[in-house]
Amino acid sequence: MRFDTVIIGGGLSGLVAGIDLVRKGQKCLIVSSGQSALHFFSGSFELCNKENDPMKAIASLDACHPYSKLGAERVEALAARVKPFFAELGLNFKGDASANHWRMTPLGVMKRAWLTLDEYATFESETEMPWKKVSVLNIDGFLDFHTSYIAAALEAKGVEVAVASLSAPQFDKLRESPTEMRSTNISKTIIGEFVDALAEQINGKTDGSDAVLMPAVAGLTGTAEVERLKELVKVPFHFLPTLPPSTPGIRIQMMLKKYFQQQGGVYMLGDSVTEGRFEDGKLKSIKTLNNEDTEFEADNFILATGSFFSKGIVASQNGVAEPVFGLDVDADSDRTNWYQRNMFDAQPYMTFGVATDEEFRAKKDGRPVVNLYVVGSVLSGFNAIKDGCGAGVSILTSLNAADQIMNL
Amino acid sequence: MSKEYDVIIVGGGATGAGTARDCAMRGLKTLLLERHDLSAGATGRNHGLLHSGARYAVTDQESAEECIRENMILRKVARHCVEETDGLFITLPEDDLGFQSTFVDACRRAGINAEAIDPKEAIRLEPSVNKNLIGAVKVPDGAVDPFRLTMANVLDARLHGAEVLTYHEVTAVVKEGDRVVGVEVYDVHTKEKKTLRSRLVINAGGIWGHHIAELAGATVNMFPAKGALLIFGHRVNNLVINRCRKPADADILVPGDTICLIGTTSSRLPYDQIDDMKVTADEVDLLLREGEKLAPELAYTRILRAYAGVRPLVAADNDPSGRSISRGIVCLDHETRDGIPGFITITGGKLMTYRLMAEWATDLACKKLGVDKPCQTADIPLPGSDITEEDRYASGSDLGGKAARGRHGSRSVEIKHKDRYDESLVCECEGVSIAEVNYAIDTLDAKNITNLRRRTRLGMGTCQGELCACRAAGLLSKANGCARKSVEDLATFMNERWKGMFPVSWGDTLSEAQFTSWIYEGVCGLDAFDKKEE
């Protein structure tokens, strides 16, 4: 079977690349094992959160960082395309690359962000809050969001906080199984007429507040329920992130996938690549676990398999390897050098990934595979947490690879 | 004027807790002091093996006899802490099969019911065992949960009137002339110091007892021996598997609850490192290499964490070099030994013999205080123990309730489901409900997430506290009313968890570690609450 481009990995990176290519008329296949970092989405994408000005922060990154390889000008140009890219899918974000804004984490910590999904709370300042009084609500018995952390953080910034809980027979039903009280399951109950009833209950608990904050537990399949809540709740209504799973993150993943398919892309879920056929420094075709008799041929390939978490690279007792094609990796061979003893120090293993040339083409046995582009967190040379750049690297390197393939 | 106790016991491990129970049962006015949490030292850092004594039968008959006696007693008095699994001593092709008969004879002399069985029968009993075995001996080994055992002793000590203070560190031993009359303690939480008086002080500090003895002006010649272990992500074996040879490194694989453990290594450790033990890559490699010989499946089983404990080995008084080190029980009367009346040290020994150690120490204390009451701890069951095996493992739809019965035995009736939320699970791997967490906070002195882990197994399962740690922190924050404190506690807990994970972080363990960092640091910003070590 023949495609213009085959993409290995169907998370944020793979889908962004795939969508950009199908929009430009390419015939694309995505092979996805099902893992996606969007499942634990915080509500925000980060470009580089080390400083208020992301472009200034990017200028001081190491030479091996994917942004440094792209160059500042290219980063800026690619970043400018991202908001419209998602808006066309009906995903509206706040923010832009000229200055970071702030988001509040489930623990009440303020972190810098680049783009934040519309329904989440954002802040212009780390310390000055836009409200005098807010209501912080939670679903009764939902343990993956704690009002006490949010209340303590807001009170420390001089905001008066009213904490209240929401209860309903719909939530009680979830409780019949002790493991069901999770954000995605809750969101499955917030549909239809219950949305109106819930809004009414919220209105009863927001007396005198300038805004209401609650965990992101609605809108699993679309934005209709969230829009309806916003419309009915009498004060401004914002989500805060929860512990995983992330309901809006799963929605983004589903919307990206659906859009890709609507545009003619083929998405093979729950499959994984078993081998590749290389010829003359090029990857000619791949085979997959579920279609072992089929050769998927393409002019170009994109590797978007993620880091250790999704097994884009794997560590053994004695080293780190890229498991699909045996590509070269940038990693220390001695495992005692992989870690820092304090969990919160920069962990060296975080920067491990597939080695690429200046054009982000994968290296195998020291030589670039000229039609195999590497994107997202399987790339080496950056620490997504410490540089605050995980989503930015994923999206920008994917758009960049799509451009390279289209010779743009 | 503060009240005077008959006896202050220093050290909240199994020995200290057992001594507190024994003293209280004999009517002494008792106080137990622990500088950290119960079971925070060597008690919680070993195999959790209910030794049959077979391991020591050839080399140390006395220890073997002590073990099998205590083994039979614990099955009776601490039923809810024990799993009666039995154990195998296997002979592999590279071992000397001739050792087997020596071993069986020595076991029988010590009163251990050891039975050589056909290797095929061994494979039938324990399908995970190395199929290349050429010999097998079945012995009454088992598993014991040291956290639960210590907690049960503390609960019963309290029921008999003892007071127990955790997070109280002894900073000085108070003397009048040569006589010990009490201790000065530092309250870790309130940061206050106070003096507590007693007629006797019993030093049950394990390896840390070396320091307590110094505070009293006595020298106990201790040799810290580090033992490293690995915990695997599921229960590979149902019988304890040992090597039938003289005791060596990494030759015991013990099942316990949902997991299994391989250990241990043995190496001398400088005394100044006993609070900061690191498991090295070489130790991990050795444990894996040897462990795979017992149960080859370990090669493909996810490793959850590595940890190490310190054995409190004591050198004989006339041997300052430490060459003739004993693993036996050491009960020192410092009045006759060093001219320091009012001070007793109980040390050496092992988890298996904690009750006997407590009995010896309490016998000596009673003698000094002129109390004539016999020890009853071998006969009277611990709280929670009076549950039948059927009831303990009865199936039921309430996942949390079922798991709690296994953990707390008959005490699980105390876990009250006050409202409809209480059955919700906090920890899904181990089936810990909100009600059980609240029971541990209210009744079992759980003050932080690590305490909860020791009381309930929360965070001990496959995901190692991935999400339940944050849920538990929220419940603690509700209970103690301080959000900041509970998030700082969460940061400490996650960091401690990492210290156990990184020595074995490859494969799925590294995937999990990366996920954890993305969630807790990336999504949540937990790094803002990290208390940097000096």
Side-chain angles (χ1 to χ4, degrees), chain B residues 153-196:
Chain B
N153 275 280
V154 164
L155 278 171
D156 208 34
R158 280 215 176 111
L159 289 172
H160 287 88
E163 291 172 47
V164 180
L165 294 174
T166 55
Y167 295 96
H168 278 68
E169 182 173 3
V170 171
T171 50
V173 170
V174 182
K175 286 166 97 173
E176 280 174 5
D178 289 330
R179 174 172 289 279
V180 170
V181 294
V183 293
E184 185 185 79
V185 289
Y186 173 73
D187 181 331
V188 175
H189 290 132
T190 64
K191 303 194 176 5
E192 284 166 355
K193 271 195 179 182
K194 57 188 163 195
T195 299
L196 300 166

Side-chain angles (χ1 to χ4, degrees), chain A residues 22-81:
Chain A
V22 290
R23 274 176 181 168
K24 286 165 181 154
Q26 279 223 330
K27 190 180 168 199
C28 284
L29 167 70
I30 291 178
V31 185
S32 169
S33 69
Q35 296 273 25
S36 170
L38 284 165
H39 294 163
F40 43 93
F41 179 56
S42 67
S44 302
F45 291 144
E46 290 152 338
L47 185 61
C48 187
N49 74 2
K50 293 168 99 171
E51 294 184 45
N52 285 332
D53 179 351
M55 292 312 298
K56 200 175 147 207
I58 285 167
S60 62
L61 294 171
D62 290 343
C64 59
H65 197 287
Y67 287 160
S68 305
K69 272 180 160 179
L70 285 169
E73 232 173 87
R74 182 79 180 134
V75 168
E76 206 164 358
L78 290 166
R81 282 160 54 185

Side-chain angles (χ1 to χ4, degrees), chain A residues 103 105 111 140 144 148-149 172 175 178 182 307-309 315 317 335 339-343 345 386, chain B residues 276 285 420-421 425 428 471 473 477 486 495 498 502 505 507-508 511 514 521-524 530 532:
Chain A
R103 69 175 172 99
T105 78
K111 289 198 93 163
D140 233 351
D144 293 334
S148 59
Y149 300 152
D172 289 340
R175 235 170 250 115
R182 306 294 173 243
S307 187
F308 293 104
F309 171 67
Q317 218 171 329
R335 79 171 194 264
Y339 321 107
Q340 290 290 324
R341 213 170 130 74
N342 185 320
M343 170 182 169
D345 287 346
K386 292 299 175 191
Chain B
D276 184 32
D285 292 346
R420 58 208 164 119
Y421 313 120
L425 290 186
E428 289 169 24
R471 293 179 194 139
S477 139
S486 85
N495 218 339
W498 168 242
F502 80 76
S505 269
D508 289 338
S511 302
Q514 187 175 47
E521 193 173 345
V523 175
C524 293
D530 178 37
K532 289 276 176 205

